Amino acid sequence: MKILSAAQTRALDQATIQDEGIMSLELMERAATAFTEWLLNRLSAGREVHIFCGPGNNGGDGLAAARLLHQAGQPVRVWLLPAARDSADFTANRHRLPPEVPCAELNTRSLPELPASAVVVDALFGTGLSRPLTDEAATVVQHINHSAASIVAVDMPSGLLTDAPQPAGSVVVRARYTVSFELPKLAFFLPQNAEFVGLWEVLPIGLDEGLIHNTPVDNHTIDLKLLTNRLPARQKFGHKGTYGHALLLAGSYGKVGAAVLAARACLHGGVGLLTLGVPTVGYDIVQTAVPEAMALPGIGQEHVTSLPDLAPYSAVGIGPGLGQHDDSHAALEKLLRTATVPLVLDADALNLLGANRALLDLLPPDAILTPHPREFERLTQPACHDYHRLELLRAFCHRHQCYVVLKGAHTCVGTPAGDLYFNTTGNAGMATGGSGDVLTGLLTALRAQKLSALDACLVGVYAHGRAGDLAAQQLGEMGLAAGDIVTHLGPALQKLVTPSGF
Ligand SMILES: NC(=O)C1=CN([C@@H]2O[C@H](COP(=O)(O)OP(=O)(O)OC[C@H]3O[C@@H](n4cnc5c(N)ncnc54)[C@H](OP(=O)(O)O)[C@@H]3O)[C@@H](O)[C@H]2O)[C@@H](O)CC1
Ligand SMILES: [K+]
C-alpha cells in the first residue's frame, strides 16, 4: 500500500469525487458506514457512545456515524466543538441527525462526565489539522484523555499531524484504537506516536484505485500485494546448488547461540547449502545443534579472527554474536574490501562499522544492513525524533547505496532510491533476544537464492514478522522465543511463493 501525505490524501478525496461523479457527502457516508460497522462489531451491549465532533469533515464523519449508530439502536450522544465556521458536509450531516439523538455544544466550563463504561468517538480533527491544538479544543482533548472511557479516533487521533513532527508538549488524543480510511498515515508507523494512535486499522471506502496508482509516493507498506511475484517457487529439477551456498560469520565465546539461530533461519529460509564460520569454541555446538550446516575450522579460537576464502559462497551474512575484537574488525574490513557476493551485516558487524565509519565507504553496492535504532545511530547520529530518523535513513541509504532494515514494531526498509517500506507483520513477542539473528539468517538465505536486495528485504522482513505472528498464535506473545520464529518461517514463506500455473 502507498502511504500518502495529508495533502495527497485531500487531493485523492477530491479527485475521487470528480472522477467518479460522486458527492463528497456520499464519500463521507461511506467512511461513516465503514466506521460504524467496525464499531458495532466491537461494542458490548449498553455502552453509551459519546461522539465529539469538530467543525470540519472529521466532525462530519462523527455526525454521520452518530446517525447510523442511532439507527442501529445504539445509545449515542453528540458533543460539538464551538467553531466560527463549519464545513458544508458537517452542516449537511448536522441537519440529518435525528432530533432524538442528544446533541449539544461543548462548554469548557462544564464538560460532560465520561464514565469508564462510555466509548468516546474522537471526531474532532482529522487530516485537516493545520496547527497544534490550543484553547477550547485542547481543553476538550485533555478532558477526554483524563476520563477512563475507551477512546476510538476517527481517521486520526485529534491533535496529531498526519506526516510531520509534533511540537513538544502538543495536546493530542490518546486513542485506544484509530480507525482510518483507505490508506494508512505515516504517523501510525512511528514509535513516538504509539501512545496517541493505539491500535490502528484502515477501512476501505472505495477511493479511486487508478488515482492511487498514479500518485507518486516514497513511503509504502510491506503487504501481500507488494510481495506478489517476488519469491519464486522451487524448481522440480532444482538441486542444492540451485539455491545458493551461504556463509554465516557469527558467534564468539558465550554468544554461539546467535550463530545457531541465524544458521537455523538460513536453512529454513530455503538456502541450498550453508557453511558456518564460527570460532573453535562454537564448533561442537553448531555441529550438534545444526547438523544440516557445515562448519569451517581454523577461523579463530574464541572469536572470528580471519576471513576464509570466499570463492564457494553466493552470499555472506556477518555479525550475530561476532564480538567486537580488533581481529574481527580486520576480518570485516577484509570482507568489505574483497567480497564480490551479496552481504548482510548485522549486530556486532554494525557496531564495528559504527566504531570506524571509514569502513562505511567500503560497503559494496546493495549490501543489506539490519540495525535496530541504537545501532543505526552509531552509524549516523542521534535522531531528534522519529521523522528525523527516517530522513537520516533515506540519506544513509542514498549515500552508501545500501539497503537498511531499521528494526522495530514497524520495521522500515530504506533503499538507495529513497523509498521507505514499513512492515505490517510482527508482534511485541518478537522483542526478545535472537529475533534479529533469525532475520539475518533469513536475509542471507534469500540473497544466496539470488533474490535482489530489495526483494530479499521485503520478503524477509514480512515473512519474519508473519512467522512471529504464527508463533504468537500458538504460544502467546510472552511465550515466544526467537527459535519459535524459525519454526514458523516455512509456512510464512510458503504464503509468499509465486504460484505456478495459469
Ligand atoms: N474529503 C473527503 O471527501 C473525505 C474526508 N473524510 C474525513 O474528513 C477529514 C478531513 O476533513 P477536513 O479537511 O475538513 O479537516 P478536519 O480534520 O476535519 O479539520 C478541519 C477543520 O479544523 C480546523 N482546524 C485545523 N486545525 C485546527 C486547530 N489546531 N485548532 C482548531 N481548529 C483547527 C480547520 O480550520 P482552519 O484551519 O481552516 O482554521 C477546519 O475547520 C478526514 O480526516 C476524514 O475524517 C472522510 O469523510 C472521507 C471523505
Ligand atoms: K479524529
Side-chain angles (χ1 to χ4, degrees), residues 13 27 56-58 61 85 125-128 130-133 155:
D13 288 341
L27 204 53
N57 287 348
N58 195 248
D61 288 350
R85 203 175 54 245
F125 302 100
T127 52
S130 52
R131 54 196 182 277
L133 299 181
D155 208 22

Side-chain angles (χ1 to χ4, degrees), residues 236-253:
K236 179 175 174 183
F237 291 99
H239 51 86
K240 60 190 176 193
T242 313
Y243 300 109
H245 186 171
L247 171 68
L248 281 173
L249 294 162
S252 57
Y253 184 63

Side-chain angles (χ1 to χ4, degrees), residues 52 58-59 121-127 152-159 173 178:
F52 287 74
N58 195 248
V121 171
D122 157 32
L124 290 166
F125 302 100
T127 52
V152 183
V154 178
D155 208 22
M156 290 290 297
S158 296
V173 162
T178 295

